Amino acid sequence: MPGSHLPLMEEGMARWPFGPPNAGIALDFTGVPPALDELRALVGDRWKALPRLTQTLVAPGGPRTGLAWWTGRHRWARRDGHDLGRQVDEAYGTLRDVVRLWFHTPFPADRPPWSLHLLRGSAEGEFSLLFRMHHSLLDGRSLTTLLRALFDDGGPLDGAASLAVPGPRRRTVRPAPSAGGPPGLLTAGRAVPLPHRGTREPAYTVVRLRTDVLRAAREAASARTATTNEVFLATVSGVLRSCLSAAEAAPPGTGTASHGDRDPDRDRDRGRGRETGREREPGQVWLSVPVDERPDDCGEFLGNAFANVRVPAPVNLSDPAARLTACTGLLTPVTRPRRTSEKLFEGTLAAVPGATMALAGGKIFAPSYAPAACSYVHLREQGQTLAGRPLRRLTIVPMVPPADTATFALGGCTRGHTLSVATNSGSQDADLLAEAFLDELTLLAERTP
């Protein structure tokens, strides 16, 4: 609610130590770009009843030392009557250009921390809408709710529904029997060395996935057609396995081998399911996956209602199809009452955010905790158009990830899927990992029975 302190998840993102906690989604359309006034009028009409979009983020006051450092908390402040049209502007440039600029620039403190940018494409008949936000304001589900409302078959969003905070019942993930149960909150696993190529700085890239390859990869499961999310997790697991292989193959003292240095014979053997090289070191590799906690009756809540869960990455399996089977059912959702112990634990940690970050940050941000995060956002409806202009692509822009980790973000709509990769380990790493993802997806597709 406006004026209230941030809950634990949002407070943690407001204190993100790796750069401004900015994230967003880009929607690419075919057609002549709308006029800026037309877009502002549409936003004003469809989003006018949403208090969340008129709030500003207020940092804790006083010196950041002593008791204030341990207990200071961010809060939301009302900006009643704020004109949402002021948050909409236009620019020229590619998505990577604006990500390099805007996503590493904090929002001004005196305005709501979000913007909608009309990006005029370099080619005629193409344009994009890029929604940029401070992640403490909204999550991925909130973004899809907002953006759907702008489509031709949408309508004004309901203010009361947007404030309906998920209550005692939450959606969560039921661990698959093969996973052996969830890890402990601070249980570490095995780190995965990234390529570490280029200047040590955040990097971001986007690639398109071939629809026929993704479809074939879903058919590689042994028991049933896999979900796109299961293919996603299995493919990322293959990328992490290839990183481990590259590190094992690198001569001592030379650093991590890049994916461009792969041995084609080793890759071919791995695609056929034969183990090569040394045995894998012990230790589970974990993937961090955001899971929407909204029950069905709170689907239009705007804010952050997700939990990061960790699932095992089957990097010890050499056969891509076996990795897909191992990922089957890892994200089976269930709805259950929220336990009293969970509420007390979260409330206690949120009361002393400085202490929580100091004690847990070194653990939860370490590569051994989760060397990769996997996020999937999709719009499944048919016929998505904006003032008659058809949607052709959805692309996610994640936050800058923790050092020496990677974020893989899959964006999907009826026209296809794109993969975004963000890293914080080397200027070339995002491109290398995206290339490796395409390779692994192709290997999985070729395993179709």
Side-chain angles (χ1 to χ4, degrees), residues 299-316:
E300 293 186 11
F301 167 72
L302 299 183
N304 282 278
F306 73 96
N308 284 316
V309 301
R310 287 190 294 164
V311 297
V315 298
N316 60 315

PDB file of all heavy atoms in Angstrom, residues 299-316:
ATOM      1  N   GLY A 299      -5.108 -12.513  -9.555  1.00  0.00           N
ATOM      2  CA  GLY A 299      -4.296 -12.496 -10.759  1.00  0.00           C
ATOM      3  C   GLY A 299      -3.944 -11.110 -11.262  1.00  0.00           C
ATOM      4  O   GLY A 299      -2.963 -10.940 -11.990  1.00  0.00           O
ATOM      5  N   GLU A 300      -4.729 -10.064 -10.898  1.00  0.00           N
ATOM      6  CA  GLU A 300      -4.456  -8.717 -11.392  1.00  0.00           C
ATOM      7  C   GLU A 300      -3.718  -7.855 -10.374  1.00  0.00           C
ATOM      8  O   GLU A 300      -3.562  -6.643 -10.576  1.00  0.00           O
ATOM      9  CB  GLU A 300      -5.763  -8.035 -11.803  1.00  0.00           C
ATOM     10  CG  GLU A 300      -6.433  -8.681 -13.013  1.00  0.00           C
ATOM     11  CD  GLU A 300      -7.637  -7.898 -13.496  1.00  0.00           C
ATOM     12  OE1 GLU A 300      -7.833  -6.749 -13.036  1.00  0.00           O
ATOM     13  OE2 GLU A 300      -8.387  -8.424 -14.331  1.00  0.00           O
ATOM     14  N   PHE A 301      -3.248  -8.462  -9.278  1.00  0.00           N
ATOM     15  CA  PHE A 301      -2.471  -7.695  -8.300  1.00  0.00           C
ATOM     16  C   PHE A 301      -1.203  -7.152  -8.943  1.00  0.00           C
ATOM     17  O   PHE A 301      -0.475  -7.860  -9.632  1.00  0.00           O
ATOM     18  CB  PHE A 301      -2.106  -8.580  -7.109  1.00  0.00           C
ATOM     19  CG  PHE A 301      -1.060  -7.972  -6.210  1.00  0.00           C
ATOM     20  CD1 PHE A 301      -1.382  -6.896  -5.383  1.00  0.00           C
ATOM     21  CD2 PHE A 301       0.233  -8.448  -6.203  1.00  0.00           C
ATOM     22  CE1 PHE A 301      -0.420  -6.323  -4.566  1.00  0.00           C
ATOM     23  CE2 PHE A 301       1.210  -7.890  -5.385  1.00  0.00           C
ATOM     24  CZ  PHE A 301       0.878  -6.817  -4.559  1.00  0.00           C
ATOM     25  N   LEU A 302      -0.941  -5.864  -8.726  1.00  0.00           N
ATOM     26  CA  LEU A 302       0.261  -5.222  -9.238  1.00  0.00           C
ATOM     27  C   LEU A 302       1.245  -4.991  -8.096  1.00  0.00           C
ATOM     28  O   LEU A 302       0.905  -4.352  -7.093  1.00  0.00           O
ATOM     29  CB  LEU A 302      -0.081  -3.889  -9.904  1.00  0.00           C
ATOM     30  CG  LEU A 302      -1.012  -3.944 -11.106  1.00  0.00           C
ATOM     31  CD1 LEU A 302      -1.194  -2.549 -11.681  1.00  0.00           C
ATOM     32  CD2 LEU A 302      -0.478  -4.895 -12.176  1.00  0.00           C
ATOM     33  N   GLY A 303       2.421  -5.503  -8.259  1.00  0.00           N
ATOM     34  CA  GLY A 303       3.453  -5.408  -7.232  1.00  0.00           C
ATOM     35  C   GLY A 303       4.413  -6.554  -7.421  1.00  0.00           C
ATOM     36  O   GLY A 303       4.650  -7.016  -8.540  1.00  0.00           O
ATOM     37  N   ASN A 304       4.962  -7.027  -6.336  1.00  0.00           N
ATOM     38  CA  ASN A 304       5.839  -8.195  -6.377  1.00  0.00           C
ATOM     39  C   ASN A 304       5.203  -9.307  -5.557  1.00  0.00           C
ATOM     40  O   ASN A 304       5.039  -9.178  -4.346  1.00  0.00           O
ATOM     41  CB  ASN A 304       7.224  -7.857  -5.830  1.00  0.00           C
ATOM     42  CG  ASN A 304       8.066  -7.093  -6.828  1.00  0.00           C
ATOM     43  OD1 ASN A 304       8.684  -7.674  -7.714  1.00  0.00           O
ATOM     44  ND2 ASN A 304       8.065  -5.766  -6.704  1.00  0.00           N
ATOM     45  N   ALA A 305       4.819 -10.362  -6.228  1.00  0.00           N
ATOM     46  CA  ALA A 305       4.207 -11.519  -5.567  1.00  0.00           C
ATOM     47  C   ALA A 305       4.841 -12.767  -6.155  1.00  0.00           C
ATOM     48  O   ALA A 305       4.181 -13.579  -6.805  1.00  0.00           O
ATOM     49  CB  ALA A 305       2.694 -11.520  -5.750  1.00  0.00           C
ATOM     50  N   PHE A 306       6.135 -12.884  -5.978  1.00  0.00           N
ATOM     51  CA  PHE A 306       6.832 -14.061  -6.473  1.00  0.00           C
ATOM     52  C   PHE A 306       7.854 -14.504  -5.443  1.00  0.00           C
ATOM     53  O   PHE A 306       8.223 -13.754  -4.530  1.00  0.00           O
ATOM     54  CB  PHE A 306       7.527 -13.770  -7.817  1.00  0.00           C
ATOM     55  CG  PHE A 306       8.758 -12.910  -7.707  1.00  0.00           C
ATOM     56  CD1 PHE A 306      10.020 -13.488  -7.634  1.00  0.00           C
ATOM     57  CD2 PHE A 306       8.668 -11.531  -7.679  1.00  0.00           C
ATOM     58  CE1 PHE A 306      11.159 -12.698  -7.529  1.00  0.00           C
ATOM     59  CE2 PHE A 306       9.790 -10.740  -7.581  1.00  0.00           C
ATOM     60  CZ  PHE A 306      11.050 -11.322  -7.512  1.00  0.00           C
ATOM     61  N   ALA A 307       8.287 -15.728  -5.579  1.00  0.00           N
ATOM     62  CA  ALA A 307       9.336 -16.277  -4.729  1.00  0.00           C
ATOM     63  C   ALA A 307      10.363 -16.945  -5.628  1.00  0.00           C
ATOM     64  O   ALA A 307      10.013 -17.569  -6.633  1.00  0.00           O
ATOM     65  CB  ALA A 307       8.760 -17.289  -3.743  1.00  0.00           C
ATOM     66  N   ASN A 308      11.618 -16.783  -5.285  1.00  0.00           N
ATOM     67  CA  ASN A 308      12.675 -17.475  -6.017  1.00  0.00           C
ATOM     68  C   ASN A 308      12.861 -18.865  -5.419  1.00  0.00           C
ATOM     69  O   ASN A 308      13.127 -19.000  -4.225  1.00  0.00           O
ATOM     70  CB  ASN A 308      13.988 -16.694  -5.930  1.00  0.00           C
ATOM     71  CG  ASN A 308      13.997 -15.485  -6.829  1.00  0.00           C
ATOM     72  OD1 ASN A 308      13.569 -15.565  -7.972  1.00  0.00           O
ATOM     73  ND2 ASN A 308      14.463 -14.354  -6.331  1.00  0.00           N
ATOM     74  N   VAL A 309      12.683 -19.872  -6.233  1.00  0.00           N
ATOM     75  CA  VAL A 309      12.910 -21.246  -5.793  1.00  0.00           C
ATOM     76  C   VAL A 309      14.127 -21.788  -6.536  1.00  0.00           C
ATOM     77  O   VAL A 309      14.464 -21.319  -7.630  1.00  0.00           O
ATOM     78  CB  VAL A 309      11.686 -22.146  -6.047  1.00  0.00           C
ATOM     79  CG1 VAL A 309      10.464 -21.613  -5.329  1.00  0.00           C
ATOM     80  CG2 VAL A 309      11.395 -22.266  -7.542  1.00  0.00           C
ATOM     81  N   ARG A 310      14.785 -22.755  -5.933  1.00  0.00           N
ATOM     82  CA  ARG A 310      15.939 -23.369  -6.581  1.00  0.00           C
ATOM     83  C   ARG A 310      15.616 -24.808  -6.953  1.00  0.00           C
ATOM     84  O   ARG A 310      15.053 -25.560  -6.152  1.00  0.00           O
ATOM     85  CB  ARG A 310      17.161 -23.323  -5.666  1.00  0.00           C
ATOM     86  CG  ARG A 310      17.751 -21.927  -5.545  1.00  0.00           C
ATOM     87  CD  ARG A 310      19.090 -21.953  -4.831  1.00  0.00           C
ATOM     88  NE  ARG A 310      18.965 -22.366  -3.441  1.00  0.00           N
ATOM     89  CZ  ARG A 310      19.992 -22.769  -2.688  1.00  0.00           C
ATOM     90  NH1 ARG A 310      21.202 -22.849  -3.212  1.00  0.00           N
ATOM     91  NH2 ARG A 310      19.800 -23.092  -1.433  1.00  0.00           N
ATOM     92  N   VAL A 311      15.951 -25.141  -8.191  1.00  0.00           N
ATOM     93  CA  VAL A 311      15.728 -26.496  -8.694  1.00  0.00           C
ATOM     94  C   VAL A 311      17.062 -27.034  -9.191  1.00  0.00           C
ATOM     95  O   VAL A 311      17.944 -26.274  -9.606  1.00  0.00           O
ATOM     96  CB  VAL A 311      14.681 -26.515  -9.831  1.00  0.00           C
ATOM     97  CG1 VAL A 311      13.335 -26.037  -9.327  1.00  0.00           C
ATOM     98  CG2 VAL A 311      15.135 -25.663 -11.008  1.00  0.00           C
ATOM     99  N   PRO A 312      17.241 -28.355  -9.153  1.00  0.00           N
ATOM    100  CA  PRO A 312      18.529 -28.929  -9.550  1.00  0.00           C
ATOM    101  C   PRO A 312      18.734 -28.911 -11.055  1.00  0.00           C
ATOM    102  O   PRO A 312      17.835 -29.240 -11.828  1.00  0.00           O
ATOM    103  CB  PRO A 312      18.448 -30.362  -9.013  1.00  0.00           C
ATOM    104  CG  PRO A 312      16.987 -30.668  -8.970  1.00  0.00           C
ATOM    105  CD  PRO A 312      16.304 -29.375  -8.636  1.00  0.00           C
ATOM    106  N   ALA A 313      19.916 -28.513 -11.477  1.00  0.00           N
ATOM    107  CA  ALA A 313      20.298 -28.570 -12.889  1.00  0.00           C
ATOM    108  C   ALA A 313      21.023 -29.888 -13.137  1.00  0.00           C
ATOM    109  O   ALA A 313      22.055 -30.150 -12.520  1.00  0.00           O
ATOM    110  CB  ALA A 313      21.219 -27.402 -13.238  1.00  0.00           C
ATOM    111  N   PRO A 314      20.503 -30.753 -14.004  1.00  0.00           N
ATOM    112  CA  PRO A 314      21.101 -32.085 -14.209  1.00  0.00           C
ATOM    113  C   PRO A 314      22.367 -32.032 -15.072  1.00  0.00           C
ATOM    114  O   PRO A 314      22.424 -32.613 -16.155  1.00  0.00           O
ATOM    115  CB  PRO A 314      19.972 -32.863 -14.876  1.00  0.00           C
ATOM    116  CG  PRO A 314      19.201 -31.828 -15.630  1.00  0.00           C
ATOM    117  CD  PRO A 314      19.254 -30.591 -14.781  1.00  0.00           C
ATOM    118  N   VAL A 315      23.386 -31.344 -14.590  1.00  0.00           N
ATOM    119  CA  VAL A 315      24.613 -31.176 -15.367  1.00  0.00           C
ATOM    120  C   VAL A 315      25.441 -32.455 -15.430  1.00  0.00           C
ATOM    121  O   VAL A 315      26.387 -32.543 -16.226  1.00  0.00           O
ATOM    122  CB  VAL A 315      25.474 -30.030 -14.795  1.00  0.00           C
ATOM    123  CG1 VAL A 315      24.731 -28.711 -14.863  1.00  0.00           C
ATOM    124  CG2 VAL A 315      25.884 -30.331 -13.351  1.00  0.00           C
ATOM    125  N   ASN A 316      25.122 -33.435 -14.596  1.00  0.00           N
ATOM    126  CA  ASN A 316      25.874 -34.689 -14.611  1.00  0.00           C
ATOM    127  C   ASN A 316      25.409 -35.646 -15.707  1.00  0.00           C
ATOM    128  O   ASN A 316      26.047 -36.677 -15.937  1.00  0.00           O
ATOM    129  CB  ASN A 316      25.748 -35.381 -13.250  1.00  0.00           C
ATOM    130  CG  ASN A 316      24.301 -35.705 -12.916  1.00  0.00           C
ATOM    131  OD1 ASN A 316      23.419 -34.879 -13.103  1.00  0.00           O
ATOM    132  ND2 ASN A 316      24.068 -36.910 -12.410  1.00  0.00           N
TER     133      ASN A 316
END
